[in-house]
Amino acid sequence: MNRDQLPPETPGEVTGGVRGEVTGGAPGGVAGGATGEAAGGHVAEAPDEAAARRHRARVWGGAARSLWRPSVDGTVGARLRELAEWTDAADLADALPDTYGDGLVEVLEGRVAEELGMEAAVFFPSGTMAQQVALRCWAGRTGSPVVALHPLAHPEVHEDDAFTAVSGLRTVHPTDAPRLPTAEEVRDHPEPFGTLMLELPLRDAGFVLPSWEELTATVEAARERDAVVHFDGARLWECPTHFGRPLAEIAGLADSVYVSFYKSLGGMSGAVLAGPEELVAEARVWLHRYGGLLFQQYPAALTALRGLDAELPRLPSYVAHARVVAEALREALAGKDGPGWFRIHPEVPHTHQFQVWLPYEPDVLTAAALALTERTGACLFRRWSAPGAGGPPGTAYTEVTVAGAGLEWTAGDVGQAVRDFLALVEG
């Protein structure tokens, strides 16, 4: 990575020196994630690493206080009891199990289509499959197998080149800056493309979003090139606060939208592709061809419906409190016992997730995060990761998520946890 790809320095910061932080884009080339365990493609684990992962899960899952309790925390029994209780409360206990996508799955599809203001929707077992199908359908309709997207977008980083291997698609990149492409970059890209795919927010660049005006201009630039627009909306649910627009208005900019249920809504698994009726009808055919038309999916459908009822209305409060947490982290890290250099990115979180960067090796920070929970019962950070190829050496980053459990944390609580954490890092 060259210097031009790094974020601009803020006033008062000297590279390698002064306490402070850098605003702007995160370093490019970040692969994987650090919220909980690293996300992305499956990698076989050595026995020692598998044991370490189970230990981390037990410690962080059993924390007395946490900024976020992901759906992987807890036991199978606890999760089943919670789901049964919600099912009773939602008057769904007497609903019949689905068979090959009917019943509760159809109820979920209708609910999401309504939330997004789309004509129709189809449930997929995974977002990877949903987007593979969406983009190959659009390729058939536009006559172009070329998809324009960001090099940090999920299909490029986390799907083992599935676009090419499975769907015969080819990708081009209007920009490699750590942000979504601008209207000028889309309009001036030298190669033709049939579909523009925008990931909202762009997770591996730090959960970043453009402004509403920038987004609408970028979409319009794609339209000028006769391209369709698809939103990778894995985390679209938490975008309305930043844009100041309702979900349906945001989704309405695109020709099709994919949304996930386990990333923001606490669901078990699954995704929905929403768009025009004709596209969704074709997508159902490919759902079957890809092996995604499962015999029964009612547990996943129930957890998705629960997320829409229980979590979706609370997401604006999570985004608001993430900004409180980010500011408290900044103040504590900039204190006299701080590390001397750090980054909180974005400076003001666009969603309820953001990155924290520190000048230590990831194993050191992960060990300190684990020790903090073991000693104090507070889960401030989870696993830390090294930057991707070309990233700043000697640094690590983690993804911070603020959800329901995090609303209990005051700025003072965050500050104390940071000081305890840093003492463990230096100790």
Side-chain angles (χ1 to χ4, degrees):
M1 175 182 299
N2 60 45
R3 179 73 178 170
D4 293 337
Q5 291 176 294
L6 292 172
E9 295 174 358
T10 53
E13 194 221 15
V14 179
T15 302
V18 194
R19 304 180 196 280
E21 61 128 7
V22 176
T23 59
V30 177
T35 302
E37 297 300 313
H42 175 73
V43 178
E45 294 177 306
D48 288 348
E49 172 55 25
R53 183 172 63 85
R54 287 193 296 270
H55 176 63
R56 291 191 294 267
R58 284 194 298 270
V59 172
W60 287 326
R65 302 177 66 246
S66 181
L67 288 174
W68 173 54
R69 296 198 183 277
S71 58
V72 295
D73 281 356
T75 64
V76 170
R79 290 296 172 193
L80 289 174
R81 286 189 291 272
E82 291 171 2
L83 182 57
E85 290 172 2
W86 179 84
T87 302
D88 286 337
D91 200 25
L92 291 173
D94 292 329
L96 294 176
D98 63 293
T99 304
Y100 292 120
D102 65 4
L104 287 172
V105 173
E106 290 179 324
V107 172
L108 176 61
E109 291 170 346
R111 173 75 180 275
V112 173
E114 182 180 0
E115 292 282 356
L116 299 180
M118 293 292 189
E119 290 182 1
V122 53
F123 183 81
F124 281 81
S126 76
T128 296
M129 186 185 294
Q131 298 206 114
Q132 290 287 319
V133 167
L135 293 170
R136 79 175 300 151
C137 288
W138 283 126
R141 289 162 184 268
T142 64
S144 171
V146 182
V147 180
L149 77 175
H150 198 284
L152 291 181
H154 194 277
E156 296 286 66
V157 179
H158 302 293
E159 296 180 15
D160 292 331
D161 200 27
F163 269 8
T164 300
V166 179
S167 301
L169 302 177
R170 185 169 67 86
T171 61
V172 295
H173 305 145
T175 183
D176 62 0
R179 51 160 174 75
L180 287 163
T182 65
E184 290 74 15
E185 290 164 339
V186 168
R187 189 177 292 112
D188 297 340
H189 188 72
E191 293 189 72
F193 54 86
T195 304
L196 173 66
M197 175 178 166
L198 299 174
E199 183 178 324
L200 301 175
L202 186 56
R203 180 265 184 98
D204 281 334
F207 306 97
V208 295
L209 291 164
S211 69
W212 178 253
E213 291 74 21
E214 289 169 336
L215 178 61
T216 54
T218 297
V219 169
E220 179 58 31
R223 303 271 191 246
E224 292 173 9
R225 299 188 60 146
D226 295 324
V228 298
V229 177
H230 171 76
F231 284 171
D232 175 340
R235 297 170 174 83
L236 189 73
W237 306 113
E238 60 262 34
C239 293
T241 299
H242 174 81
F243 288 130
R245 300 292 196 284
L247 268 172
E249 187 174 353
I250 299 169
L253 292 178
D255 296 284
S256 61
V257 178
Y258 138 70
V259 289
S260 175
F261 296 116
Y262 75 87
K263 293 181 174 67
S264 304
L265 301 183
M268 179 185 298
S269 60
V272 152
L273 171 65
E277 289 183 359
E278 289 185 357
L279 178 79
V280 170
E282 183 184 359
R284 289 187 188 278
V285 176
W286 284 104
L287 169 68
H288 197 180
R289 289 171 175 164
Y290 272 64
L293 188 60
L294 305 184
F295 178 53
Q296 290 188 324
Q297 301 179 91
Y298 64 88
L302 281 171
T303 60
L305 288 167
R306 180 182 63 182
L308 291 170
D309 282 349
E311 288 298 302
L312 182 58
R314 303 185 71 193
L315 283 172
S317 67
Y318 300 168
V319 177
H321 202 61
R323 296 170 179 175
V324 174
V325 170
E327 180 60 28
L329 285 168
R330 179 179 299 106
E331 290 182 3
L333 291 169
K336 62 181 181 65
D337 296 320
W341 177 92
F342 68 91
R343 295 181 183 183
I344 293 175
H345 176 71
E347 181 179 4
V348 177
H350 296 172
T351 71
H352 70 313
Q353 296 178 288
F354 57 93
Q355 294 177 340
V356 177
W357 289 72
L358 290 175
Y360 301 92
E361 295 300 320
D363 288 350
V364 171
L365 297 173
T366 299
L370 195 65
L372 176 70
T373 305
E374 290 174 319
R375 298 185 187 189
T376 71
C379 179
L380 175 67
F381 302 125
R382 296 198 177 211
R383 193 171 183 180
W384 292 72
S385 298
T395 66
Y397 76 99
T398 191
E399 293 173 346
V400 175
T401 300
V402 179
L407 298 180
E408 300 174 1
W409 290 57
T410 65
D413 294 333
V414 175
Q416 184 59 57
V418 171
R419 290 187 288 274
D420 292 342
F421 171 74
L422 292 175
L424 291 166
V425 171
E426 297 296 341

